[in-house]
Each structure stands twice: as C-alpha cells, then as structure tokens.
Amino acid sequence: MVGYYGASTFGGYMSYQLNQTFGVDIGAQAVQQFGTNKYQLDPIVTPTVKLGKVKIGLPVGQILHGIIRSKAEQCNMRK
C-alpha cells in the first residue's frame, strides 16, 4: 500500500543532447522517506532517444543507485 501514497520530492536536472537523436538527462532529486521527515538523495539519469517530435526516455538513475548501494554494503560486510 505504501506505493499509493504521495511522496514529497524536489530536485532538478539538465538535458544534454549528444546528437540530433540521442541525449541524456542528468541531475538529482531528494525524495521524502515514507512516514518520516527524512529525505534520501537519488540521482536522475535518463538516456533519451528522439524520434521525430517525440522524445522517449528510460529513467535508470534509481536502478544504478540501488546497484551501487548494494555493492557498497557487500564490501562493508566483508570487512
């Protein structure tokens, strides 16, 4: 049920076009953790493809953040 509650977020990003077709949006956002006044910083990384007048993007920032966090936790557990 937690997924249905609104979360407070704020942040920003910049768009960089590699060429007329490919680009990337890069930035950061702070997301409020459910039930607390604490915020977690999440990266914004969205590769984009422009097809005619339509721009399609796949947000992968939170996925990358999760992978990096789990690898860091594994390294800390080994010490």
Side-chain angles (χ1 to χ4, degrees):
M1 294 297 294
V2 174
Y4 294 104
Y5 289 95
S8 180
T9 64
F10 63 93
Y13 67 92
M14 62 177 264
S15 295
Y16 180 74
Q17 283 299 125
L18 302 170
N19 55 36
Q20 291 182 353
T21 306
F22 298 103
V24 65
D25 297 339
I26 300 173
Q29 66 180 354
V31 180
Q32 185 179 16
Q33 294 177 346
F34 178 73
T36 68
N37 287 329
K38 296 180 182 179
Y39 284 83
Q40 175 181 328
L41 188 63
D42 286 338
I44 297 172
V45 179
T46 306
T48 59
V49 176
K50 191 171 182 182
L51 304 170
K53 294 183 179 183
V54 177
K55 184 177 177 182
I56 301 171
L58 178 65
V60 296
Q62 289 181 331
I63 296 169
L64 294 173
H65 186 246
I67 291 170
I68 292 169
R69 179 183 287 169
S70 68
K71 294 295 180 185
E73 289 175 0
Q74 288 175 358
C75 290
N76 287 336
M77 292 176 74
R78 291 180 185 164
K79 291 183 179 180

